[in-house]
Amino acid sequence: MLEGSGSTNRSGVRVEVLGDRGTKKSSPILATATESVPKKVPPIHPPTCLCFPSDFYPDHVYVTIIDTSLRLEHRGKLNDELKRADAVV
């Protein structure tokens, strides 16, 4: 997706969402992606691409939101995802 560190010609931005368990990180991710309030939310939402209309974002830069888990058994994956992130929330 990204064409190199420091490049201004990007086709995608990765945003990692961090927070303690039970802080409802997945809810706003799912609500933004579906434009509705979810009734049932998975514990960790899969990576979600927010594809905005071209009149909203004419450069066609896609935003991928990565939901994360701070559980010990997911620590290796978390570290890998953080290395690939363009932003962390």
Side-chain angles (χ1 to χ4, degrees), residues 16-82:
E16 303 291 325
V17 180
L18 295 177
D20 292 331
R21 183 176 181 191
T23 57
K24 306 293 185 195
K25 300 176 301 298
S26 300
S27 295
I29 294 170
L30 191 55
T32 301
T34 63
E35 296 184 6
S36 64
V37 178
K39 292 182 181 181
K40 187 172 183 179
V41 179
I44 299 175
H45 193 68
T48 303
C49 181
L50 303 178
C51 304
F52 300 107
S54 60
D55 60 332
F56 181 78
Y57 213 164
D59 292 337
H60 301 287
V61 176
Y62 299 101
V63 177
T64 301
I65 307 293
I66 310 295
D67 195 5
T68 60
S69 170
L70 296 178
R71 294 175 67 179
L72 190 56
E73 61 267 23
H74 296 140
R75 200 54 56 104
K77 182 179 180 187
L78 175 62
N79 289 336
D80 291 341
E81 290 290 352
L82 288 172

Short mmCIF file of all heavy atoms in Angstrom, two decimals, residues 16-82:
data_model
loop_
_atom_site.label_atom_id
_atom_site.label_comp_id
_atom_site.label_asym_id
_atom_site.label_seq_id
_atom_site.Cartn_x
_atom_site.Cartn_y
_atom_site.Cartn_z
N GLU A 16 -3.90 2.20 13.79
CA GLU A 16 -4.06 1.19 14.83
C GLU A 16 -4.85 1.80 15.98
O GLU A 16 -4.58 2.92 16.40
CB GLU A 16 -2.70 0.75 15.38
CG GLU A 16 -1.75 0.21 14.35
CD GLU A 16 -2.17 -1.11 13.79
OE1 GLU A 16 -2.75 -1.94 14.53
OE2 GLU A 16 -1.92 -1.35 12.61
N VAL A 17 -5.82 1.06 16.48
CA VAL A 17 -6.63 1.51 17.61
C VAL A 17 -6.24 0.66 18.82
O VAL A 17 -6.42 -0.54 18.82
CB VAL A 17 -8.14 1.40 17.31
CG1 VAL A 17 -8.95 1.88 18.50
CG2 VAL A 17 -8.49 2.18 16.06
N LEU A 18 -5.68 1.32 19.84
CA LEU A 18 -5.23 0.64 21.06
C LEU A 18 -6.10 1.05 22.24
O LEU A 18 -6.60 2.16 22.29
CB LEU A 18 -3.79 1.01 21.40
CG LEU A 18 -2.69 0.59 20.45
CD1 LEU A 18 -1.35 1.12 20.93
CD2 LEU A 18 -2.64 -0.91 20.34
N GLY A 19 -6.22 0.15 23.19
CA GLY A 19 -6.94 0.47 24.41
C GLY A 19 -7.14 -0.78 25.24
O GLY A 19 -7.04 -1.90 24.73
N ASP A 20 -7.41 -0.60 26.49
CA ASP A 20 -7.63 -1.72 27.39
C ASP A 20 -8.87 -2.51 26.98
O ASP A 20 -9.78 -1.99 26.32
CB ASP A 20 -7.80 -1.23 28.82
CG ASP A 20 -6.51 -0.67 29.39
OD1 ASP A 20 -5.43 -1.12 28.96
OD2 ASP A 20 -6.58 0.22 30.25
N ARG A 21 -8.89 -3.76 27.39
CA ARG A 21 -10.02 -4.64 27.13
C ARG A 21 -11.29 -4.04 27.74
O ARG A 21 -11.27 -3.49 28.84
CB ARG A 21 -9.74 -6.01 27.75
CG ARG A 21 -10.81 -7.01 27.48
CD ARG A 21 -10.42 -8.33 28.04
NE ARG A 21 -11.46 -9.30 27.76
CZ ARG A 21 -11.52 -10.48 28.28
NH1 ARG A 21 -10.62 -10.87 29.15
NH2 ARG A 21 -12.49 -11.29 27.96
N GLY A 22 -12.36 -4.11 26.99
CA GLY A 22 -13.64 -3.62 27.48
C GLY A 22 -13.87 -2.14 27.31
O GLY A 22 -14.86 -1.61 27.80
N THR A 23 -12.98 -1.44 26.61
CA THR A 23 -13.15 0.01 26.44
C THR A 23 -13.98 0.35 25.21
O THR A 23 -14.13 1.52 24.87
CB THR A 23 -11.79 0.72 26.35
OG1 THR A 23 -11.04 0.16 25.28
CG2 THR A 23 -11.03 0.61 27.65
N LYS A 24 -14.51 -0.68 24.54
CA LYS A 24 -15.40 -0.50 23.39
C LYS A 24 -14.70 0.12 22.18
O LYS A 24 -15.25 0.96 21.49
CB LYS A 24 -16.63 0.34 23.76
CG LYS A 24 -17.40 -0.17 24.95
CD LYS A 24 -18.03 -1.50 24.62
CE LYS A 24 -18.90 -1.95 25.79
NZ LYS A 24 -19.25 -3.34 25.69
N LYS A 25 -13.47 -0.33 21.92
CA LYS A 25 -12.74 0.15 20.73
C LYS A 25 -13.42 -0.28 19.44
O LYS A 25 -13.45 0.46 18.47
CB LYS A 25 -11.30 -0.37 20.74
CG LYS A 25 -10.46 0.04 21.90
CD LYS A 25 -9.09 -0.61 21.86
CE LYS A 25 -9.09 -2.10 21.84
NZ LYS A 25 -9.65 -2.80 22.99
N SER A 26 -13.95 -1.49 19.42
CA SER A 26 -14.53 -2.04 18.20
C SER A 26 -15.83 -1.35 17.79
O SER A 26 -16.14 -1.25 16.61
CB SER A 26 -14.80 -3.54 18.37
OG SER A 26 -13.61 -4.23 18.63
N SER A 27 -16.60 -0.85 18.75
CA SER A 27 -17.89 -0.24 18.45
C SER A 27 -17.79 0.96 17.50
O SER A 27 -18.49 1.01 16.50
CB SER A 27 -18.60 0.17 19.74
OG SER A 27 -18.92 -0.98 20.49
N PRO A 28 -16.93 1.95 17.76
CA PRO A 28 -16.86 3.08 16.83
C PRO A 28 -16.26 2.69 15.47
O PRO A 28 -16.60 3.28 14.46
CB PRO A 28 -16.00 4.12 17.55
CG PRO A 28 -15.32 3.40 18.64
CD PRO A 28 -16.13 2.18 18.96
N ILE A 29 -15.39 1.68 15.45
CA ILE A 29 -14.83 1.22 14.18
C ILE A 29 -15.96 0.66 13.32
O ILE A 29 -16.12 1.03 12.15
CB ILE A 29 -13.74 0.16 14.40
CG1 ILE A 29 -12.54 0.77 15.11
CG2 ILE A 29 -13.32 -0.47 13.07
CD1 ILE A 29 -11.52 -0.26 15.58
N LEU A 30 -16.75 -0.22 13.90
CA LEU A 30 -17.85 -0.85 13.18
C LEU A 30 -18.92 0.17 12.80
O LEU A 30 -19.44 0.15 11.69
CB LEU A 30 -18.45 -1.97 14.02
CG LEU A 30 -19.43 -2.90 13.34
CD1 LEU A 30 -18.82 -3.53 12.08
CD2 LEU A 30 -19.86 -3.99 14.29
N ALA A 31 -19.21 1.09 13.69
CA ALA A 31 -20.22 2.13 13.40
C ALA A 31 -19.77 3.01 12.25
O ALA A 31 -20.57 3.37 11.38
CB ALA A 31 -20.48 2.97 14.65
N THR A 32 -18.49 3.35 12.19
CA THR A 32 -17.97 4.17 11.10
C THR A 32 -18.01 3.42 9.78
O THR A 32 -18.39 3.97 8.75
CB THR A 32 -16.53 4.62 11.41
OG1 THR A 32 -16.53 5.36 12.64
CG2 THR A 32 -15.99 5.49 10.30
N ALA A 33 -17.64 2.16 9.81
CA ALA A 33 -17.59 1.36 8.59
C ALA A 33 -18.98 1.08 8.01
O ALA A 33 -19.16 1.06 6.80
CB ALA A 33 -16.87 0.05 8.85
N THR A 34 -19.95 0.88 8.88
CA THR A 34 -21.29 0.50 8.42
C THR A 34 -22.28 1.66 8.42
O THR A 34 -23.40 1.52 7.94
CB THR A 34 -21.87 -0.63 9.30
OG1 THR A 34 -22.01 -0.15 10.64
CG2 THR A 34 -20.99 -1.86 9.26
N GLU A 35 -21.87 2.79 8.98
CA GLU A 35 -22.73 3.97 9.11
C GLU A 35 -24.02 3.65 9.87
O GLU A 35 -25.09 4.16 9.55
CB GLU A 35 -23.02 4.59 7.75
CG GLU A 35 -21.77 5.11 7.06
CD GLU A 35 -22.06 5.80 5.75
OE1 GLU A 35 -23.24 6.00 5.40
OE2 GLU A 35 -21.09 6.16 5.07
N SER A 36 -23.89 2.76 10.86
CA SER A 36 -25.02 2.44 11.72
C SER A 36 -24.50 2.03 13.08
O SER A 36 -23.32 1.72 13.22
CB SER A 36 -25.86 1.31 11.12
OG SER A 36 -25.11 0.13 11.05
N VAL A 37 -25.37 2.03 14.06
CA VAL A 37 -24.98 1.63 15.41
C VAL A 37 -25.12 0.11 15.52
O VAL A 37 -26.22 -0.41 15.35
CB VAL A 37 -25.83 2.35 16.47
CG1 VAL A 37 -25.43 1.89 17.86
CG2 VAL A 37 -25.68 3.85 16.34
N PRO A 38 -24.02 -0.59 15.77
CA PRO A 38 -24.09 -2.05 15.83
C PRO A 38 -24.78 -2.54 17.10
O PRO A 38 -24.61 -1.98 18.17
CB PRO A 38 -22.62 -2.47 15.80
CG PRO A 38 -21.88 -1.32 16.38
CD PRO A 38 -22.66 -0.09 15.98
N LYS A 39 -25.57 -3.62 16.96
CA LYS A 39 -26.20 -4.22 18.13
C LYS A 39 -25.27 -5.24 18.77
O LYS A 39 -25.23 -5.37 19.98
CB LYS A 39 -27.52 -4.89 17.73
CG LYS A 39 -28.57 -3.89 17.33
CD LYS A 39 -29.86 -4.55 16.99
CE LYS A 39 -30.85 -3.47 16.56
NZ LYS A 39 -32.14 -4.02 16.23
N LYS A 40 -24.53 -5.96 17.93
CA LYS A 40 -23.60 -6.96 18.44
C LYS A 40 -22.23 -6.67 17.81
O LYS A 40 -22.10 -6.54 16.60
CB LYS A 40 -24.07 -8.36 18.06
CG LYS A 40 -23.25 -9.44 18.70
CD LYS A 40 -23.84 -10.80 18.46
CE LYS A 40 -22.99 -11.83 19.19
NZ LYS A 40 -23.54 -13.18 19.01
N VAL A 41 -21.22 -6.59 18.65
CA VAL A 41 -19.88 -6.24 18.20
C VAL A 41 -18.92 -7.36 18.58
O VAL A 41 -18.92 -7.80 19.73
CB VAL A 41 -19.41 -4.90 18.84
CG1 VAL A 41 -18.02 -4.53 18.40
CG2 VAL A 41 -20.39 -3.79 18.50
N PRO A 42 -18.09 -7.81 17.63
CA PRO A 42 -17.11 -8.84 17.98
C PRO A 42 -16.05 -8.29 18.93
O PRO A 42 -15.83 -7.07 18.97
CB PRO A 42 -16.50 -9.22 16.63
CG PRO A 42 -16.71 -8.03 15.76
CD PRO A 42 -17.98 -7.39 16.25
N PRO A 43 -15.37 -9.16 19.69
CA PRO A 43 -14.34 -8.68 20.61
C PRO A 43 -13.22 -7.92 19.90
O PRO A 43 -12.74 -6.92 20.39
CB PRO A 43 -13.79 -9.94 21.25
CG PRO A 43 -14.75 -11.02 20.95
CD PRO A 43 -15.55 -10.60 19.76
N ILE A 44 -12.82 -8.41 18.74
CA ILE A 44 -11.83 -7.71 17.92
C ILE A 44 -12.38 -7.68 16.51
O ILE A 44 -12.66 -8.71 15.91
CB ILE A 44 -10.46 -8.42 17.92
CG1 ILE A 44 -9.90 -8.49 19.33
CG2 ILE A 44 -9.48 -7.69 17.00
CD1 ILE A 44 -8.62 -9.29 19.42
N HIS A 45 -12.56 -6.49 15.98
CA HIS A 45 -13.09 -6.34 14.63
C HIS A 45 -11.96 -6.55 13.63
O HIS A 45 -10.84 -6.08 13.85
CB HIS A 45 -13.71 -4.95 14.47
CG HIS A 45 -14.55 -4.82 13.26
ND1 HIS A 45 -15.74 -5.48 13.11
CD2 HIS A 45 -14.36 -4.13 12.12
CE1 HIS A 45 -16.25 -5.19 11.93
NE2 HIS A 45 -15.43 -4.38 11.32
N PRO A 46 -12.21 -7.25 12.52
CA PRO A 46 -11.15 -7.45 11.54
C PRO A 46 -10.74 -6.12 10.91
O PRO A 46 -11.48 -5.14 10.99
CB PRO A 46 -11.78 -8.38 10.50
CG PRO A 46 -13.24 -8.30 10.71
CD PRO A 46 -13.45 -7.89 12.14
N PRO A 47 -9.57 -6.07 10.27
CA PRO A 47 -9.15 -4.82 9.62
C PRO A 47 -10.26 -4.29 8.71
O PRO A 47 -10.90 -5.05 7.98
CB PRO A 47 -7.92 -5.24 8.81
CG PRO A 47 -7.37 -6.39 9.58
CD PRO A 47 -8.58 -7.12 10.11
N THR A 48 -10.49 -3.00 8.79
CA THR A 48 -11.61 -2.38 8.10
C THR A 48 -11.10 -1.24 7.22
O THR A 48 -10.46 -0.32 7.71
CB THR A 48 -12.62 -1.82 9.13
OG1 THR A 48 -13.03 -2.91 9.97
CG2 THR A 48 -13.82 -1.22 8.46
N CYS A 49 -11.40 -1.32 5.93
CA CYS A 49 -11.02 -0.26 5.00
C CYS A 49 -12.17 0.73 4.88
O CYS A 49 -13.30 0.35 4.60
CB CYS A 49 -10.68 -0.85 3.63
SG CYS A 49 -10.17 0.40 2.45
N LEU A 50 -11.86 1.97 5.15
CA LEU A 50 -12.85 3.04 4.99
C LEU A 50 -12.60 3.67 3.62
O LEU A 50 -11.58 4.33 3.42
CB LEU A 50 -12.72 4.08 6.10
CG LEU A 50 -12.85 3.55 7.52
CD1 LEU A 50 -12.64 4.68 8.51
CD2 LEU A 50 -14.18 2.88 7.74
N CYS A 51 -13.47 3.41 2.70
CA CYS A 51 -13.32 3.91 1.34
C CYS A 51 -14.28 5.07 1.15
O CYS A 51 -15.49 4.87 1.08
CB CYS A 51 -13.58 2.80 0.34
SG CYS A 51 -12.54 1.37 0.59
N PHE A 52 -13.74 6.26 1.11
CA PHE A 52 -14.56 7.46 1.02
C PHE A 52 -14.85 7.80 -0.44
O PHE A 52 -14.06 7.52 -1.32
CB PHE A 52 -13.84 8.63 1.68
CG PHE A 52 -13.54 8.40 3.13
CD1 PHE A 52 -12.25 8.14 3.56
CD2 PHE A 52 -14.55 8.42 4.07
CE1 PHE A 52 -11.97 7.92 4.89
CE2 PHE A 52 -14.28 8.20 5.42
CZ PHE A 52 -12.99 7.95 5.81
N PRO A 53 -15.98 8.44 -0.71
CA PRO A 53 -16.29 8.86 -2.08
C PRO A 53 -15.23 9.82 -2.60
O PRO A 53 -14.62 10.57 -1.84
CB PRO A 53 -17.64 9.57 -1.95
CG PRO A 53 -18.16 9.24 -0.60
CD PRO A 53 -17.01 8.82 0.25
N SER A 54 -15.02 9.80 -3.91
CA SER A 54 -13.96 10.63 -4.50
C SER A 54 -14.20 12.12 -4.30
O SER A 54 -13.25 12.89 -4.25
CB SER A 54 -13.78 10.31 -5.99
OG SER A 54 -14.98 10.56 -6.69
N ASP A 55 -15.44 12.56 -4.17
CA ASP A 55 -15.67 13.98 -3.92
C ASP A 55 -15.31 14.37 -2.49
O ASP A 55 -15.06 15.52 -2.19
CB ASP A 55 -17.11 14.38 -4.24
CG ASP A 55 -18.15 13.63 -3.42
OD1 ASP A 55 -17.86 12.49 -3.01
OD2 ASP A 55 -19.23 14.18 -3.20
N PHE A 56 -15.27 13.38 -1.59
CA PHE A 56 -14.86 13.62 -0.21
C PHE A 56 -13.34 13.57 -0.07
O PHE A 56 -12.75 14.33 0.67
CB PHE A 56 -15.50 12.56 0.70
CG PHE A 56 -15.16 12.72 2.16
CD1 PHE A 56 -15.79 13.69 2.93
CD2 PHE A 56 -14.22 11.92 2.77
CE1 PHE A 56 -15.48 13.84 4.27
CE2 PHE A 56 -13.90 12.06 4.10
CZ PHE A 56 -14.54 13.03 4.85
N TYR A 57 -12.71 12.64 -0.79
CA TYR A 57 -11.26 12.44 -0.68
C TYR A 57 -10.71 12.19 -2.08
O TYR A 57 -10.48 11.06 -2.48
CB TYR A 57 -10.98 11.25 0.23
CG TYR A 57 -9.72 11.36 1.06
CD1 TYR A 57 -9.52 10.53 2.14
CD2 TYR A 57 -8.72 12.27 0.76
CE1 TYR A 57 -8.37 10.60 2.91
CE2 TYR A 57 -7.58 12.36 1.51
CZ TYR A 57 -7.41 11.52 2.59
OH TYR A 57 -6.28 11.60 3.35
N PRO A 58 -10.51 13.24 -2.89
CA PRO A 58 -10.15 13.09 -4.30
C PRO A 58 -8.82 12.38 -4.56
O PRO A 58 -8.61 11.88 -5.66
CB PRO A 58 -10.12 14.53 -4.82
CG PRO A 58 -9.99 15.39 -3.62
CD PRO A 58 -10.59 14.63 -2.47
N ASP A 59 -7.95 12.27 -3.58
CA ASP A 59 -6.68 11.59 -3.79
C ASP A 59 -6.80 10.07 -3.69
O ASP A 59 -5.84 9.35 -3.89
CB ASP A 59 -5.62 12.08 -2.78
CG ASP A 59 -5.23 13.52 -3.02
OD1 ASP A 59 -5.41 14.00 -4.16
OD2 ASP A 59 -4.76 14.17 -2.08
N HIS A 60 -8.00 9.58 -3.37
CA HIS A 60 -8.26 8.13 -3.26
C HIS A 60 -7.31 7.43 -2.29
O HIS A 60 -6.81 6.36 -2.56
CB HIS A 60 -8.19 7.46 -4.63
CG HIS A 60 -9.16 8.03 -5.61
ND1 HIS A 60 -10.51 7.80 -5.54
CD2 HIS A 60 -8.97 8.85 -6.67
CE1 HIS A 60 -11.11 8.44 -6.52
NE2 HIS A 60 -10.21 9.09 -7.21
N VAL A 61 -7.06 8.06 -1.17
CA VAL A 61 -6.24 7.44 -0.12
C VAL A 61 -7.18 6.67 0.79
O VAL A 61 -8.10 7.23 1.37
CB VAL A 61 -5.45 8.50 0.68
CG1 VAL A 61 -4.69 7.85 1.82
CG2 VAL A 61 -4.50 9.26 -0.23
N TYR A 62 -6.95 5.37 0.87
CA TYR A 62 -7.80 4.51 1.69
C TYR A 62 -7.29 4.48 3.12
O TYR A 62 -6.09 4.45 3.35
CB TYR A 62 -7.84 3.10 1.12
CG TYR A 62 -8.42 3.07 -0.27
CD1 TYR A 62 -7.61 2.98 -1.38
CD2 TYR A 62 -9.79 3.18 -0.45
CE1 TYR A 62 -8.14 2.97 -2.65
CE2 TYR A 62 -10.34 3.18 -1.72
CZ TYR A 62 -9.51 3.07 -2.82
OH TYR A 62 -10.04 3.09 -4.08
N VAL A 63 -8.20 4.48 4.06
CA VAL A 63 -7.86 4.41 5.48
C VAL A 63 -8.25 3.03 5.98
O VAL A 63 -9.41 2.63 5.86
CB VAL A 63 -8.59 5.50 6.28
CG1 VAL A 63 -8.28 5.37 7.77
CG2 VAL A 63 -8.22 6.89 5.77
N THR A 64 -7.28 2.30 6.50
CA THR A 64 -7.54 0.99 7.07
C THR A 64 -7.41 1.09 8.58
O THR A 64 -6.37 1.50 9.09
CB THR A 64 -6.57 -0.08 6.53
OG1 THR A 64 -6.72 -0.14 5.11
CG2 THR A 64 -6.88 -1.45 7.12
N ILE A 65 -8.49 0.75 9.28
CA ILE A 65 -8.52 0.80 10.73
C ILE A 65 -8.23 -0.61 11.25
O ILE A 65 -8.90 -1.57 10.87
CB ILE A 65 -9.90 1.26 11.25
CG1 ILE A 65 -10.32 2.58 10.60
CG2 ILE A 65 -9.89 1.34 12.77
CD1 ILE A 65 -9.50 3.76 10.97
N ILE A 66 -7.24 -0.73 12.13
CA ILE A 66 -6.86 -2.01 12.70
C ILE A 66 -7.23 -2.02 14.17
O ILE A 66 -6.68 -1.25 14.97
CB ILE A 66 -5.34 -2.27 12.54
CG1 ILE A 66 -4.88 -2.05 11.10
CG2 ILE A 66 -4.99 -3.66 13.05
CD1 ILE A 66 -5.45 -2.99 10.09
N ASP A 67 -8.17 -2.88 14.52
CA ASP A 67 -8.55 -3.08 15.92
C ASP A 67 -7.50 -3.99 16.55
O ASP A 67 -6.98 -4.89 15.89
CB ASP A 67 -9.93 -3.74 15.97
CG ASP A 67 -10.59 -3.68 17.33
OD1 ASP A 67 -10.02 -3.05 18.23
OD2 ASP A 67 -11.67 -4.27 17.47
N THR A 68 -7.15 -3.76 17.79
CA THR A 68 -6.08 -4.54 18.41
C THR A 68 -6.52 -5.15 19.73
O THR A 68 -7.52 -4.75 20.32
CB THR A 68 -4.85 -3.65 18.69
OG1 THR A 68 -5.25 -2.59 19.56
CG2 THR A 68 -4.26 -3.08 17.42
N SER A 69 -5.73 -6.11 20.15
CA SER A 69 -5.94 -6.74 21.44
C SER A 69 -4.66 -6.61 22.25
O SER A 69 -3.56 -6.81 21.73
CB SER A 69 -6.26 -8.22 21.25
OG SER A 69 -6.24 -8.88 22.49
N LEU A 70 -4.79 -6.26 23.51
CA LEU A 70 -3.62 -6.15 24.38
C LEU A 70 -3.39 -7.43 25.17
O LEU A 70 -2.52 -7.48 26.03
CB LEU A 70 -3.79 -4.97 25.34
CG LEU A 70 -3.84 -3.59 24.68
CD1 LEU A 70 -4.05 -2.51 25.74
CD2 LEU A 70 -2.59 -3.32 23.89
N ARG A 71 -4.15 -8.49 24.86
CA ARG A 71 -3.98 -9.76 25.56
C ARG A 71 -2.57 -10.30 25.29
O ARG A 71 -2.02 -10.14 24.20
CB ARG A 71 -5.04 -10.75 25.11
CG ARG A 71 -6.43 -10.30 25.52
CD ARG A 71 -7.49 -11.20 24.99
NE ARG A 71 -7.38 -12.51 25.61
CZ ARG A 71 -8.19 -13.50 25.35
NH1 ARG A 71 -9.16 -13.35 24.47
NH2 ARG A 71 -8.04 -14.67 25.95
N LEU A 72 -2.00 -10.93 26.28
CA LEU A 72 -0.64 -11.43 26.20
C LEU A 72 -0.41 -12.34 25.00
O LEU A 72 0.61 -12.23 24.31
CB LEU A 72 -0.27 -12.15 27.50
CG LEU A 72 1.20 -12.52 27.68
CD1 LEU A 72 2.09 -11.30 27.54
CD2 LEU A 72 1.41 -13.18 29.02
N GLU A 73 -1.36 -13.21 24.69
CA GLU A 73 -1.18 -14.13 23.57
C GLU A 73 -1.22 -13.44 22.20
O GLU A 73 -0.84 -14.01 21.20
CB GLU A 73 -2.21 -15.27 23.61
CG GLU A 73 -3.64 -14.83 23.53
CD GLU A 73 -4.30 -14.61 24.88
OE1 GLU A 73 -3.61 -14.39 25.90
OE2 GLU A 73 -5.54 -14.66 24.92
N HIS A 74 -1.67 -12.19 22.16
CA HIS A 74 -1.70 -11.43 20.91
C HIS A 74 -0.55 -10.42 20.81
O HIS A 74 -0.49 -9.64 19.87
CB HIS A 74 -3.03 -10.67 20.77
CG HIS A 74 -4.20 -11.58 20.67
ND1 HIS A 74 -5.38 -11.31 21.31
CD2 HIS A 74 -4.38 -12.77 20.04
CE1 HIS A 74 -6.25 -12.28 21.06
NE2 HIS A 74 -5.66 -13.18 20.29
N ARG A 75 0.34 -10.42 21.77
CA ARG A 75 1.41 -9.42 21.84
C ARG A 75 2.29 -9.40 20.60
O ARG A 75 2.66 -8.34 20.10
CB ARG A 75 2.25 -9.67 23.10
CG ARG A 75 3.08 -8.53 23.62
CD ARG A 75 2.33 -7.23 23.88
NE ARG A 75 1.20 -7.28 24.76
CZ ARG A 75 1.18 -6.86 26.01
NH1 ARG A 75 2.25 -6.38 26.56
NH2 ARG A 75 0.08 -6.92 26.71
N GLY A 76 2.64 -10.58 20.05
CA GLY A 76 3.47 -10.65 18.85
C GLY A 76 2.80 -9.99 17.66
O GLY A 76 3.42 -9.21 16.93
N LYS A 77 1.52 -10.28 17.46
CA LYS A 77 0.77 -9.67 16.36
C LYS A 77 0.65 -8.16 16.56
O LYS A 77 0.77 -7.39 15.61
CB LYS A 77 -0.61 -10.30 16.23
CG LYS A 77 -1.40 -9.75 15.08
CD LYS A 77 -2.75 -10.39 14.94
CE LYS A 77 -3.43 -9.74 13.75
NZ LYS A 77 -4.77 -10.12 13.57
N LEU A 78 0.41 -7.75 17.79
CA LEU A 78 0.30 -6.32 18.10
C LEU A 78 1.58 -5.60 17.73
O LEU A 78 1.55 -4.55 17.08
CB LEU A 78 -0.02 -6.11 19.58
CG LEU A 78 -0.04 -4.66 20.07
CD1 LEU A 78 -1.11 -3.86 19.36
CD2 LEU A 78 -0.22 -4.61 21.57
N ASN A 79 2.72 -6.15 18.10
CA ASN A 79 4.00 -5.51 17.77
C ASN A 79 4.19 -5.40 16.27
O ASN A 79 4.66 -4.37 15.77
CB ASN A 79 5.16 -6.28 18.41
CG ASN A 79 5.19 -6.10 19.91
OD1 ASN A 79 4.68 -5.13 20.45
ND2 ASN A 79 5.78 -7.07 20.61
N ASP A 80 3.82 -6.44 15.52
CA ASP A 80 3.92 -6.40 14.06
C ASP A 80 3.02 -5.32 13.47
O ASP A 80 3.42 -4.58 12.58
CB ASP A 80 3.56 -7.76 13.45
CG ASP A 80 4.58 -8.83 13.73
OD1 ASP A 80 5.74 -8.48 14.08
OD2 ASP A 80 4.24 -10.02 13.61
N GLU A 81 1.80 -5.24 13.97
CA GLU A 81 0.85 -4.24 13.47
C GLU A 81 1.34 -2.82 13.77
O GLU A 81 1.21 -1.92 12.94
CB GLU A 81 -0.53 -4.45 14.08
CG GLU A 81 -1.25 -5.69 13.61
CD GLU A 81 -1.70 -5.62 12.17
OE1 GLU A 81 -1.61 -4.56 11.53
OE2 GLU A 81 -2.16 -6.66 11.67
N LEU A 82 1.89 -2.61 14.95
CA LEU A 82 2.39 -1.28 15.32
C LEU A 82 3.54 -0.83 14.42
O LEU A 82 3.65 0.35 14.08
CB LEU A 82 2.80 -1.24 16.78
CG LEU A 82 1.65 -1.27 17.78
CD1 LEU A 82 2.17 -1.42 19.19
CD2 LEU A 82 0.77 -0.04 17.63
#
